[in-house]
Amino acid sequence: FDKWTDGQRRRILVDLLERCSLSQRKFCAKQLQDRVPTEALDFTTRLPRVLSLYIFSFLDPQSLCRCAQVSWYWKYLSELDQLWMRKCLRFGWYINFSPTPFEQGIWKKHYIEMVKDLQVTRPKTPSKDEFVVIDVQPVRSNIPEANLFVPGRRTNKEKKELPPWRSPDKNPTDTIRFNYLNNYDPIEQARQA
């Protein structure tokens, strides 16, 4: 067996397993399960719940909502009030009642309601009456067409300059954004800016 190739060993093992009874296959499966390391193991099921909650506490609200879509256990962990209460209290958002022990997810619901009140999630679109369309008339001039500036055409001396909204920097630093869906403290973020 030591001198055989990998393909030869696999064929012999398949033949042996096909000839085994169900109890012998279960025995082989148990032996392999003990010796083969498990892959893609859910860490939240192996760690104590306190440690799993500690890891989840570093996530921002948007990531916590994504974690709730992974599995039932992750949904249970990511909607616990211990996680969402800290995120609400950071912005000074308190609830005006004391929830019973049977009410779950009160702080998450409160966080979502407060964010909706801030209208952070969707910008206000202007109504049709607010849109103004100006009548545009062509301008006539006495300059020959060869000397006219055409926006699409560049001269050899001009270097293409990007407008400010299309700068090569993917992360602009000249804007201050208060995104309540991140874990950043808005006061500290304003000081840094």
Side-chain angles (χ1 to χ4, degrees):
F1 192 77
D2 291 337
K3 295 181 181 179
W4 291 346
T5 65
D6 185 51
Q8 291 171 332
R9 289 180 183 184
R10 289 182 185 200
R11 278 185 289 209
I12 292 298
L13 288 174
V14 168
D15 288 342
L16 282 175
L17 287 175
E18 287 177 355
R19 293 182 184 180
C20 291
S21 66
L22 183 61
S23 64
Q24 293 167 343
R25 288 181 189 174
K26 285 182 181 179
F27 173 76
C28 289
K30 186 174 182 330
Q31 291 295 319
L32 288 174
Q33 199 173 31
D34 294 341
R35 295 179 186 190
V36 176
T38 53
E39 297 176 1
L41 186 66
D42 185 11
F43 69 91
T44 58
T45 58
R46 297 290 180 181
L47 289 176
R49 193 177 104 172
V50 175
L51 290 178
S52 298
L53 283 176
Y54 182 70
I55 292 170
F56 276 95
S57 71
F58 290 104
L59 296 176
D60 58 306
Q62 190 173 12
S63 299
L64 274 176
C65 292
R66 288 181 183 151
C67 287
Q69 299 173 355
V70 171
S71 66
W72 286 106
Y73 188 66
W74 279 41
K75 179 177 172 57
Y76 164 73
L77 283 178
S78 63
E79 291 185 353
L80 285 175
D81 287 335
Q82 291 96 333
L83 295 173
W84 289 94
M85 182 178 16
R86 292 183 66 221
K87 297 186 183 322
C88 286
L89 294 179
R90 172 183 282 162
F91 297 113
W93 299 337
Y94 301 98
I95 55 175
N96 54 5
F97 64 95
S98 60
T100 65
F102 302 107
E103 292 179 299
Q104 296 294 323
I106 296 296
W107 285 97
K108 179 181 179 183
K109 291 175 188 171
H110 182 64
Y111 188 93
I112 291 171
E113 288 300 318
M114 295 304 290
V115 169
K116 282 182 183 177
D117 289 345
L118 292 173
Q119 296 180 352
V120 171
T121 54
R122 55 179 177 265
K124 181 186 173 213
T125 56
S127 64
K128 293 181 181 178
D129 298 334
E130 294 178 21
F131 285 115
V132 178
V133 178
I134 302 170
D135 292 334
V136 179
Q137 300 292 329
V139 178
R140 301 181 197 276
S141 65
N142 297 332
I143 302 172
E145 287 191 28
N147 296 337
L148 282 177
F149 173 73
V150 179
R153 192 186 319 159
R154 283 187 283 150
T155 61
N156 295 339
K157 296 178 183 176
E158 284 183 18
K159 183 180 179 184
K160 183 179 177 184
E161 187 174 326
L162 293 174
W165 61 88
R166 299 268 321 260
S167 72
D169 186 16
K170 292 184 181 179
N171 301 315
T173 56
D174 59 341
T175 58
I176 300 174
R177 299 171 192 233
F178 296 110
N179 188 353
Y180 287 94
L181 297 176
N182 290 337
N183 262 347
Y184 307 126
D185 185 20
I187 298 168
E188 188 63 34
Q189 189 179 5
R191 282 187 200 140
Q192 291 175 357

